[in-house]
């Protein structure tokens, strides 16, 4: 599990400085499951534009960009939102969830995968449809915090533990 509460550069630098980036890639290459939470989800992407341009792990192709402010959207986004699950994927940690299961978000940046096949779930925020979860083989990133998402979050984490 790659947790996440920090600025992108701080998290990316920490992974590199402590050789965690290499270990994470080795783990993925062994076919073992990997879960990124919030910043951990964003670190799975190629790069982020949070306070500059910073390289990520590059295990899911795409960028991390600031949520664009509109008349109906304030940043940071903090609160509960229902997920819309991409039913193309079977047997993931989200596959037992029903659409509109509420999870807790707190973020100002969002993943934008290059390939829509990497989108596991979305959520509506104001007039925008944003990415709530990403996937690539044995890698899953959750933009939300399952650890504070009540019973829904507990089910997600329990399912990941039992992969």
């Amino acid at each position: 599990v790659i947790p996440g509460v920090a600025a992108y550069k701080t998290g990316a630098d920490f992974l590199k400085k402590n050789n965690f980036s290499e270990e994470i890639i080795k783990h993925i290459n062994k076919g073992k499951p990997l879960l990124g939470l919030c910043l951990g989800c964003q670190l799975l992407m190629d790069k982020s534009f949070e306070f500059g341009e910073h390289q990520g792990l590059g295990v899911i192709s795409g960028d991390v960009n600031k949520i664009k402010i509109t008349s109906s959207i304030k940043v940071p986004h903090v609160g509960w939102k229902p997920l819309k699950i991409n039913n193309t994927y079977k047997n993931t940690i989200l596959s037992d969830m029903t659409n509109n299961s509420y999870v807790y978000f707190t973020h100002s940046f969002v993943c934008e995968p290059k390939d829509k096949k990497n989108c596991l779930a979305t959520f509506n925020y104001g007039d925008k449809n944003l990415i709530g979860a990403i996937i690539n083989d044995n890698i899953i990133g959750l933009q939300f915090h399952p650890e504070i998402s009540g019973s829904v979050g507990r089910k997600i984490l329990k399912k990941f533990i039992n992969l």
Side-chain angles (χ1 to χ4, degrees):
V1 174
I2 304 173
V5 175
Y8 193 94
K9 181 180 181 338
T10 302
D13 287 350
F14 180 84
L15 291 179
K16 289 175 191 155
K17 177 183 170 190
N18 294 289
N19 296 320
F20 289 142
S21 297
E22 292 173 16
E23 293 302 316
I24 290 167
I25 299 301
K26 285 180 191 175
H27 180 86
I28 291 167
N29 289 338
K30 290 179 184 174
K32 294 183 177 181
L34 180 76
L35 179 63
L37 306 178
C38 198
L39 173 63
C41 172
Q42 295 174 359
L43 288 166
L44 299 172
M45 306 296 285
D46 292 325
K47 61 186 167 185
S48 173
F49 294 96
E50 181 180 353
F51 308 117
E53 183 176 330
H54 310 286
Q55 296 302 308
L57 292 167
V59 296
I60 296 179
S61 186
D63 298 333
V64 179
N65 292 298
K66 187 166 184 128
I67 298 171
K68 292 176 183 40
I69 299 170
T70 68
S71 61
S72 63
I73 292 180
K74 294 180 180 158
V75 175
H77 167 228
V78 178
W80 295 85
K81 290 290 178 193
L83 285 179
K84 294 179 191 168
I85 311 300
N86 178 348
N87 292 321
T88 303
Y89 292 97
K90 307 294 181 211
N91 300 318
T92 73
I93 60 174
L94 301 184
S95 55
D96 288 343
M97 291 179 53
T98 59
N99 275 324
N100 299 319
S101 292
Y102 279 76
V103 293
Y104 188 79
F105 290 88
T106 178
H107 60 121
S108 297
F109 288 77
V110 66
C111 296
E112 296 178 353
K114 284 185 182 173
D115 193 333
K116 295 300 176 205
K117 75 174 184 165
N118 295 123
C119 174
L120 180 58
T122 61
F123 67 98
N124 286 336
Y125 185 44
D127 57 353
K128 302 282 184 197
N129 193 37
L130 302 176
I131 304 293
I134 55 177
I135 188 167
N136 187 18
D137 297 325
N138 53 319
I139 306 160
I140 293 178
L142 306 176
Q143 182 60 67
F144 57 92
H145 287 272
E147 72 279 12
I148 51 178
S149 292
S151 61
V152 169
R154 281 192 300 278
K155 286 179 190 175
I156 292 168
L157 292 172
K158 191 178 228 181
K159 193 153 187 185
F160 178 74
I161 290 168
N162 292 316
L163 286 179

